[in-house]
Amino acid sequence: LTGSSREQRAFQYVLAHAIPGDPHHILQTFDQWFVGAERHMPCHATSGRIVERVLLERAPLRVLELGTYCGYGTVLLAQGLPPGARLYTIEGDPRHAAVAEKVIRLAGFSEQTVELIVGPSEEVIPCLREKHGLMKADFVFMDHWKRCYLRDLRLLESHQMLAEGATILADNVLFPGAPHFLQYAKTCGKYHCKVHRASLEY
């Protein structure tokens, strides 16, 4: 109604109500906004607990996120990283990236901890090693366009970007769904697969 995007409205709400430098409180404030002000936007609390649990189990030092959006998942990932870890997050939409950059820095994460890369994932992935210094990822979180999941997984494989024993966590694979990605992951023989059950949207 105001002419601003819902991502910008969400950030303005977080800026007004969240405690700067407190990632947990920023996520809580986002959840309040998603549930109260913008009911058509999903609350990520359910899938967030899954991410937190897997991060705690794996303790990865090099994390790659595909699909930054407005930075909620990035803050969630960053707050669960062990000391000395680094997160690389890729967002294809410059408008979303501009909001996410503010959210990430408001949460207290510097560029040394979280690097936001703007550009299509299919163009960024082949350049991660040379341009951004990411040799191999221990943990990959996919939360971008579902039709890109399989393409980008194969890109990561072909450019040898996955460390031995790497974990790949992909959101929304059942609904709206990424059937080709699931089929490949289950049948190619490279991965042990597990489906984490959550509410319908996750």
Side-chain angles (χ1 to χ4, degrees):
L1 294 177
T2 63
S4 61
S5 69
R6 60 182 183 177
E7 294 80 20
Q8 291 171 328
R9 295 196 300 273
F11 172 69
Q12 290 302 321
Y13 182 87
V14 169
L15 188 61
H17 296 89
I19 302 172
D22 186 336
H24 182 69
H25 193 259
I26 284 175
L27 295 177
Q28 283 185 325
T29 308
F30 260 121
D31 289 337
Q32 293 169 2
W33 167 259
F34 291 148
V35 172
E38 299 271 344
R39 294 185 182 275
H40 60 287
M41 292 186 74
C43 171
H44 291 72
T46 305
S47 61
R49 286 190 291 271
I50 296 171
V51 173
E52 289 171 335
R53 185 175 73 246
V54 177
L55 275 177
L56 184 62
E57 292 171 356
R58 301 299 183 184
L61 291 177
R62 295 294 176 265
V63 177
L64 175 64
E65 179 187 30
L66 303 179
T68 316
Y69 190 43
C70 57
Y72 183 105
T74 312
V75 172
L76 181 70
L77 289 166
Q79 74 166 359
L81 295 179
R86 184 168 171 80
L87 168 60
Y88 302 80
T89 181
I90 301 172
E91 173 55 48
D93 189 323
R95 296 167 299 177
H96 295 165
V99 173
E101 181 80 35
K102 297 173 185 176
V103 170
I104 294 164
R105 306 312 168 205
L106 183 68
F109 298 110
S110 69
E111 293 183 2
Q112 285 67 45
T113 301
V114 179
E115 180 178 347
L116 173 59
I117 306 167
V118 183
S121 56
E122 71 271 23
E123 296 179 9
V124 173
I125 289 173
C127 302
L128 282 171
R129 184 173 287 113
E130 291 185 3
K131 287 190 176 181
H132 303 280
L134 175 60
M135 305 308 293
K136 291 183 183 290
D138 305 306
F139 188 100
V140 179
F141 182 51
M142 293 185 169
D143 194 17
H144 56 324
W145 293 107
K146 313 314 160 199
R147 64 177 182 270
C148 300
Y149 278 17
L150 179 55
R151 180 202 67 194
D152 288 350
L153 176 59
R154 285 176 165 168
L155 272 176
L156 290 168
E157 291 175 346
S158 65
H159 287 84
Q160 300 181 333
M161 293 302 303
L162 298 175
E164 184 177 354
T167 298
I168 299 164
L169 187 60
D171 203 8
N172 307 112
V173 294
L174 299 180
F175 180 82
H180 299 297
F181 167 84
L182 274 181
Q183 179 69 14
Y184 176 77
K186 290 178 178 179
T187 61
C188 72
K190 302 175 184 178
Y191 305 102
H192 298 286
C193 297
K194 178 180 179 181
V195 175
H196 298 266
R197 301 290 177 178
S199 54
L200 179 61
E201 66 267 33
Y202 303 111

